[in-house]
Amino acid sequence: APPAEINPTAVASSITFPSLSMSSLDDPEYRASLRASFKNDLASFAEVTPDAVTVDGVFSGSVTVESTITFQQEPRAAIFAARLSEVAMSEVFVSSDMAEYATDASVNNIQVCSRASASLLGGNAR
């Protein structure tokens, strides 16, 4: 029999960090450090490797980060989406770089979808 086809499932999310200033992201080293910490923390919480997490965009206002996590199995994606919607962001973002911004952070949108269609918004990403 041919091998079963793997259809990766993604969870797209939009998380707002009100105490994170967009101007602080003007420093390329700081921006890269925060991006890495965001990916690592979210991957750890999702029980995936950091390369499964994509930062799709960073938007101003209160800083909002859109990201997509790819899971190889749909049930894991659904479980992660449910967990992310229920926990305080301070339980997700625990690294020294992100913890201070997680206290008032919130999830705006979570969507389980096929990897090909994973995108919540659009616009001027940074």
Side-chain angles (χ1 to χ4, degrees):
E5 189 174 323
I6 296 175
N7 291 312
T9 301
V11 175
S13 65
S14 174
I15 301 173
T16 299
F17 298 90
S19 51
L20 178 58
S21 153
M22 197 68 174
S23 62
S24 68
L25 300 179
D26 289 342
D27 176 340
E29 282 185 29
Y30 188 65
R31 183 172 61 241
S33 174
L34 279 181
R35 181 179 287 248
S37 294
F38 177 91
K39 287 180 68 164
N40 289 334
D41 285 352
L42 200 54
S44 178
F45 186 78
E47 300 175 354
V48 297
T49 59
D51 63 352
V53 179
T54 303
V55 173
D56 299 315
V58 179
F59 302 90
S60 59
S62 289
V63 173
T64 298
V65 180
E66 288 187 8
S67 63
T68 306
I69 301 177
T70 302
F71 293 87
Q72 295 305 314
Q73 300 162 334
E74 192 282 330
R76 288 192 60 216
I79 290 166
F80 167 75
R83 284 182 64 215
L84 188 64
S85 69
E86 294 169 356
V87 302
M89 292 299 96
S90 57
E91 293 181 39
V92 178
F93 298 103
V94 296
S95 65
S96 57
D97 279 351
M98 294 298 300
E100 68 179 291
Y101 304 119
T103 56
D104 61 354
S106 60
V107 175
N108 306 315
N109 197 342
I110 301 172
Q111 176 182 341
V112 178
C113 52
S114 72
R115 181 64 185 105
S117 64
S119 181
L120 293 173
L121 298 173
N124 301 324
R126 188 171 206 169

